[in-house]
Amino acid sequence: MFLSVFDLYKIGIGPSSSHTMGPMSAAARFLDELKSDAWPRPSGAVVTRLGVSLHGSLAFTGVGHATDRAVILGLAGERPDTVDPDAMQAILDRVRATGRVEPPGHSGYAFDADADLVLDKVEAMPGHANGLAFYGYDDDGRLLLRRGYYSVGGGFIVGEDEIAETTVYGARAEDDHVPYPFASAAEMLQMADKSGLSIAEMKRANELARAPDSHLDARLDAVWEAMEGCIERGMKATGELPGGLKVRRRAAVLAEKLTERAKSNRFNPMAANDWLTVYAMAVNEENAAGGRVVTAPTNGAAGTVPAVIKFMTQFHEGATKEDVRTFLLTSAAIGGLIKHNASISGAEVGCQGEVGSAAAMAAAGLAAVMGGTPQQIENAAEIALEHHLGMTCDPVAGLVQVPCIERNGIAAVKAVTAASLAINGDGEHVVPLDNCIETMRQTGADMDVRYKETSLAGLAVNLPAC
């Protein structure tokens, strides 16, 4: 089983990988097909108007997660990794004012953002909780092309015609022709024992076998640069986050307090935990504002991994750029196992699949940098994931703010604790990571849909003002 580190760590925009980045990418994919000759149509027929319908979780929390905005931007030709966050509002205003989208390379299409984008809260698409469909019409209103897609978490998109080729959670079932094709933690440990390589070294070998690239390290460095840039922006920005909850940004204020406190030269036993929380909150406040973030493995959980890497570089003497690469490769190996065997999507398994997965990835990465054996690294991931089992996804008002922002800070602290516990042990433990992942999958399958990113239960309905 192979899932690239750059599949899990995608540079994009907030506030949601499944509800923002995925739908924007789906729109781009639909445009590509419109432009191609790969679909049948009546002679002389031309698509002149577009439509979109959002289903399931995308319909219930789409506005709060900016799915509507993402789809419009996607139809206008923008993509998550290249769109300028500062230019998005002007593009949206232009589409609404003209009633048209003008993607590059196309002749343009009529699109009324109020009438042609439908949030269908009645009919769900059968393949996944995050379904959306695009429609192309001619001047007479005839439907010429319909394509359905599923946003399966972490920015991944699966077409309706591809869903049978995937597992229920979106991992493609295929022979990947890599030297270390571990599809479980048990296989990963066996291959590490046999080869004498670390998890990061096996992951690196797989990356280079699948897509030989002399710039692998440069790409890993770019991921960390984007993460660190997000932390720095988040620790400077102030004011209220958009969406109507009037949530104030706190990372900048907290960072200033911690900096001033450090000048007193008084010992603060909570300093490391305090900074961990600030780093994570800074990222998720940026995400909530629609800024540039990196899926880790999703946007809703984007703060945990960067916070732990930043913690490592700040509080572990001698941390190097190579350590950051080792962290990213190791954590991606764990994230790939979780996605392949369970899910990283809150709409599928609740927040245990988002923040829980992020904590497991961060714990594994830190344990690797701290010199952990493959067995200790696997133990660290299991500890972190185990203590997120059952966590629901109930964003208040459908926004990726409450409880998401603080939750990433707490998950970062858990990840560091898990890594420390594992490193101070010998790798022997009662619950294998594979069993923990399977437990998460089963728990997610049993979880009521109201607790899976629909904002129909939990905190989302127990705050009267919301």
Side-chain angles (χ1 to χ4, degrees):
M1 185 278 299
F2 176 80
L3 193 66
S4 173
V5 61
F6 305 110
D7 287 329
L8 287 166
Y9 294 125
K10 299 186 185 77
I11 299 174
I13 58 166
S16 171
S17 50
S18 61
H19 287 55
T20 311
M21 289 174 58
M24 189 184 296
S25 296
R29 185 166 163 182
F30 180 68
L31 288 177
D32 288 343
E33 182 155 6
L34 268 182
K35 195 176 177 180
S36 75
D37 294 321
W39 56 282
R41 71 207 82 178
S43 177
V46 177
V47 172
T48 58
R49 181 171 69 86
L50 303 182
V52 187
S53 58
L54 307 180
H55 303 263
S57 178
L58 296 183
F60 283 107
T61 61
V63 174
H65 284 54
T67 309
D68 51 344
R69 292 164 57 90
V71 166
I72 296 170
L73 290 166
L75 292 178
E78 301 294 335
R79 298 181 184 243
D81 58 335
T82 57
V83 64
D84 179 358
D86 294 330
M88 292 191 301
Q89 190 57 52
I91 297 171
L92 294 165
D93 290 343
R94 183 167 63 249
V95 170
R96 290 188 177 277
T98 63
R100 292 184 62 78
V101 288
E102 305 282 350
H106 295 250
S107 57
Y109 307 97
F111 183 77
D112 184 330
D114 294 322
D116 293 327
L117 198 162
V118 177
L119 276 67
D120 188 340
K121 298 181 180 180
V122 176
E123 183 178 354
M125 291 172 60
H128 189 274
N130 292 335
L132 68 166
F134 293 84
Y135 310 87
Y137 304 93
D138 65 11
D139 281 334
D140 295 325
R142 288 186 302 171
L143 178 63
L144 300 180
L145 179 65
R146 177 199 176 278
R147 287 292 181 265
Y149 304 94
Y150 297 106
S151 182
V152 296
F156 290 89
I157 289 295
V158 177
E160 274 184 324
D161 57 339
E162 300 165 336
I163 199 71
E165 302 172 24
T166 67
T167 69
V168 67
Y169 294 110
R172 190 64 66 87
E174 60 185 8
D175 182 3
D176 295 293
H177 304 294
V178 293
Y180 305 102
F182 49 84
S184 68
E187 291 180 356
M188 179 182 71
L189 294 178
Q190 290 168 2
M191 291 179 189
D193 285 341
K194 184 176 180 179
S195 67
L197 299 177
S198 69
I199 294 171
E201 288 168 337
M202 291 192 298
K203 183 64 176 170
R204 176 180 287 275
N206 285 350
E207 293 286 338
L208 294 175
R210 186 62 183 267
D213 185 355
S214 61
H215 302 296
L216 175 60
D217 284 341
R219 295 183 69 193
L220 291 170
D221 295 344
V223 167
W224 169 235
E225 182 180 345
M227 288 177 170
E228 190 171 34
C230 189
I231 292 173
E232 297 302 324
R233 290 192 304 276
M235 290 199 303
K236 294 176 182 176
T238 58
E240 285 186 0
L241 294 170
L245 279 183
K246 300 186 182 301
V247 172
R248 292 180 296 109
R249 286 181 180 253
R250 289 182 287 164
V253 175
L254 291 171
E256 184 176 353
K257 285 183 178 180
L258 292 175
T259 301
E260 288 300 312
R261 190 177 299 165
K263 293 177 182 178
S264 70
N265 289 323
R266 295 178 60 184
F267 175 66
N268 177 12
M270 296 296 292
N273 280 1
D274 289 343
W275 279 111
L276 266 172
T277 306
V278 168
Y279 296 149
M281 290 177 63
V283 171
N284 282 86
E285 286 175 356
E286 276 295 289
N287 178 64
R292 177 73 63 208
V293 297
V294 180
T295 61
T298 68
N299 282 30
T304 301
V305 167
V308 177
I309 298 178
K310 186 72 172 178
F311 161 86
M312 178 190 76
T313 63
Q314 295 291 104
F315 291 93
H316 282 252
E317 188 175 349
T320 65
K321 186 174 290 188
E322 188 58 38
D323 287 332
V324 174
R325 296 166 186 161
T326 295
F327 191 115
L328 290 173
L329 288 166
T330 305
S331 61
I334 299 301
L337 292 178
I338 296 172
K339 177 169 174 56
H340 178 69
N341 294 300
S343 176
I344 58 172
S345 168
E348 290 175 344
V349 296
C351 202
Q352 59 175 351
E354 297 207 23
V355 167
S357 298
M361 293 164 64
L366 183 59
V369 173
M370 293 169 68
T373 64
Q375 290 76 19
Q376 289 171 318
I377 292 166
E378 184 260 1
N379 187 16
E382 186 279 325
I383 294 170
L385 183 59
E386 179 182 334
H387 297 290
H388 285 87
L389 291 176
M391 182 173 282
T392 61
C393 182
D394 54 351
V396 174
L399 300 168
V400 193
Q401 297 177 18
V402 179
C404 319
I405 295 170
E406 289 180 352
R407 184 169 285 177
N408 275 261
I410 302 302
V413 174
K414 283 187 179 182
V416 171
T417 302
S420 180
L421 281 171
I423 289 296
N424 285 301
D426 60 7
E428 293 291 328
H429 54 288
V430 174
V431 181
L433 176 58
D434 288 330
N435 297 67
C436 190
I437 292 172
E438 173 59 16
T439 300
M440 186 182 79
R441 187 194 67 79
Q442 293 177 10
T443 303
D446 292 339
M447 190 180 290
D448 192 298
V449 70
R450 295 176 303 156
Y451 294 97
K452 295 194 282 190
E453 211 167 357
T454 57
S455 292
L456 295 175
L459 287 176
V461 300
N462 284 301
L463 288 179
C466 304

